[in-house]
Amino acid sequence: MPEISRVRTVSIITFLTAMLAGAFFLALSLGPTTVPFSEFIPDDPLGMLGTLFSGGDIAGFFSDQTSYLIVYSIRLPRVIAAILVGAGLAAAGAAMQGLFRNSMADPYIIGTSSGGAFGAAFTIVFMGGLFLPVFAFIGAIGSTFLVYVIATRHGRASVETLLLTGIAISMFFSSILSFLMYSAGKSLHQIVFWLMGGLWNVSWNDVWLGLLIPIGGILLIALARDLNILSLGEEDALHLGVNVEQFKRVLLFLSSAITAVAVSIAGSIGFIGLITPHVMRLIVGPDHRILFPASMLAGGLFLLIADTLTRSFLGEMPVGVITSFVGAPFFIMLLRRRMRA
């Protein structure tokens, strides 16, 4: 990488990291009740960390116990989850766009979202919402596995067949979801809220689950070089030593697993996986070694800002409404640019 490009890339990554850190502290402070920074910074940070890692109670390190409960019991898990989910959807979107060589691909393109929605609606209707994240995760992973099995012939799955099969399976699960919504009765509003996507029910258990997302992101970054080669075409990648079919399987599994974790935590939040990688590609270029970390930072920042806005000023409106409100016009702009090209 040329020296000027390297400096520019480091500057962009540093800028995104600084923006994310600033948004993190602002999100902890803002909400229905504004908490000043001074009231959620511990009197003795090192002592608090020592107590935290030893399993002790850290409440005594804060002067205002009400502010401590608001920030550390309610807002902190939600803020961390927003960053993880946004980063995960953006990373999975970048991977799907690279795999399908289409800037309009997103993490839900092979039916992951529809499968997750089916799993969530199933437990809401028949089990009162018991183990909802687990059922959403199983539905999302199961639909991806189904798409891959149907699209594979003689150990090979072409990108076009995967895409078309994904659309068919997505429509199939959507039809079952419509039936479940039709017969849901009083549970209908719960399904609708889940489909709109939101972080209002996030707890520390969701954060622990969400820590799988950065692990998946690191694995995607490790695959970035081969994904760059695959973008040249499958035959060229084969000649350059990439085991194309195995690589596609690994990439699909990782992307779908990251998306499934995100969906199980926050429901179906649209457009982050579509617009964030595309914007970052315009800024940092198509090299996935840079695109993955830049997209993850930008995706986390985008969802964190959107969730803070809805939590602070819009009466807990589902955050998926805001991301779709911003993402839909952007998607139309992409389509029009393609038509002109």
Side-chain angles (χ1 to χ4, degrees):
M1 184 184 298
E3 189 62 31
I4 295 178
S5 297
R6 183 173 298 172
V7 171
R8 182 172 177 272
T9 300
V10 171
S11 301
I12 291 169
I13 296 293
T14 304
F15 174 75
L16 287 172
T17 305
M19 287 282 290
L20 186 59
F24 174 83
F25 286 105
L26 203 59
L28 290 179
S29 175
L30 292 177
T33 301
T34 301
V35 179
F37 292 133
S38 58
E39 293 188 7
F40 62 81
I41 294 176
D43 300 328
D44 179 9
L46 293 178
M48 186 201 75
L49 286 175
T51 305
L52 184 65
F53 286 119
S54 63
D57 185 5
I58 60 173
F61 289 90
F62 300 88
S63 55
D64 188 320
Q65 293 302 302
T66 303
S67 298
Y68 163 75
L69 287 174
I70 291 174
V71 171
Y72 287 89
S73 298
I74 301 173
R75 292 184 188 167
L76 185 58
R78 181 167 176 165
V79 166
I80 295 174
I83 294 172
L84 293 174
V85 170
L89 291 175
M96 290 295 184
Q97 290 175 8
L99 176 63
F100 289 102
R101 296 193 289 280
N102 188 330
S103 59
M104 288 192 290
D106 75 357
Y108 304 141
I109 197 167
I110 54 173
T112 311
S113 174
S114 299
F118 164 71
F122 178 87
T123 184
I124 288 171
V125 172
F126 296 109
M127 301 171 64
L130 190 66
F131 302 122
L132 192 151
V134 176
F135 274 82
F137 181 84
I138 293 172
I141 284 289
S143 66
T144 306
F145 180 73
L146 187 60
V147 167
Y148 184 79
V149 169
I150 293 174
T152 301
R153 285 290 179 275
H154 306 298
R156 186 176 184 276
S158 72
V159 168
E160 292 79 11
T161 309
L162 276 172
L163 183 60
L164 293 173
T165 309
I167 292 171
I169 293 297
S170 180
M171 293 177 69
F172 174 71
F173 278 118
S174 294
S175 67
I176 300 177
L177 177 64
S178 298
F179 172 74
L180 290 175
M181 292 174 69
Y182 173 75
S183 55
K186 294 180 180 178
S187 302
L188 177 62
H189 72 284
Q190 196 177 348
I191 298 175
V192 172
F193 263 74
W194 191 89
L195 289 175
M196 287 192 285
L199 293 151
W200 51 80
N201 286 327
V202 163
S203 66
W204 279 109
N205 288 333
D206 297 306
V207 173
W208 305 137
L209 175 65
L211 290 178
L212 293 172
I213 290 176
I215 296 173
I218 291 170
L219 293 175
L220 283 179
I221 293 172
L223 297 173
R225 176 185 167 275
D226 285 352
L227 187 55
N228 287 341
I229 297 174
L230 187 65
S231 66
L232 301 173
E234 291 191 14
E235 288 191 11
D236 290 332
L238 205 58
H239 289 308
L240 291 170
V242 177
N243 187 334
V244 173
E245 290 305 316
Q246 185 182 56
F247 180 73
K248 285 194 294 190
R249 280 196 295 271
V250 172
L251 200 64
L252 272 177
F253 172 77
L254 274 178
S255 305
S256 302
I258 291 172
T259 306
V261 171
V263 167
S264 67
I265 293 173
S268 299
I269 297 178
F271 288 103
I272 290 180
L274 171 65
I275 64 175
T276 310
H278 191 80
V279 171
M280 285 297 105
R281 190 177 289 105
L282 294 174
I283 296 174
V284 303
D287 187 343
H288 289 89
R289 293 172 298 179
I290 310 301
L291 183 60
F292 276 134
S295 296
M296 290 178 73
L297 287 168
L301 179 63
F302 180 24
L303 187 55
L304 178 58
I305 291 174
D307 184 59
T308 304
L309 283 175
T310 183
R311 179 166 50 83
S312 304
F313 307 110
L314 299 174
E316 289 284 3
M317 176 191 294
V319 70
V321 175
I322 295 182
T323 58
S324 298
F325 183 78
V326 175
F330 188 84
F331 187 73
I332 293 171
M333 185 189 76
L334 280 180
L335 281 175
R336 291 186 64 83
R337 282 185 59 179
R338 262 202 165 196
M339 291 165 64
R340 286 197 297 267

